[in-house]
Amino acid sequence: MSEAKKRVTLTLDPELLAAAEAAVDAGEARSVSVWVNPALAEKKRRQERAQILIEQDLVQAGDSGTQDYERAMRWAQGITGGASDEAA
């Protein structure tokens, strides 16, 4: 992670903010930021892992033939919500 943190403004669902504030009040986190930061880090890790799996699937599909590649590309676009870089 970056050495220097930056202040940002977020809009949170009320129940999520309440959970974060409750964690702070209970001494489980020093601040709402400390409570939220691991969730963002986990989301980033999941996206990176998903991208690796997508790329692996596209490579394998490309080795298998055009129909498998097209199926894999549609799958990748469905997961990412748009165009995917062609890995093969």
Side-chain angles (χ1 to χ4, degrees), residues 16-49:
L16 295 176
L17 179 57
E21 290 173 335
V24 172
D25 291 344
E28 298 169 9
R30 287 188 322 241
S31 67
V32 171
S33 293
V34 169
W35 191 80
V36 169
N37 220 44
L40 294 176
E42 178 61 22
K43 182 171 180 87
K44 180 180 180 283
R45 280 191 295 276
R46 285 182 182 200
Q47 287 178 329
E48 289 168 349
R49 283 193 302 256

Side-chain angles (χ1 to χ4, degrees), residues 12-13 18 22 25 48-50 55 73 76 79 84 87:
L12 300 174
D13 291 334
D25 291 344
E48 289 168 349
R49 283 193 302 256
E55 290 170 4
M73 183 59 75
I79 287 177
S84 175

Side-chain angles (χ1 to χ4, degrees), residues 3 6 12 23 33 36-37 51 55-56 59-60 68 85:
E3 294 175 18
K6 294 184 179 182
L12 300 174
S33 293
V36 169
N37 220 44
Q51 186 62 41
E55 290 170 4
Q56 289 173 345
V59 168
Q60 289 174 355
D68 283 343
D85 291 340

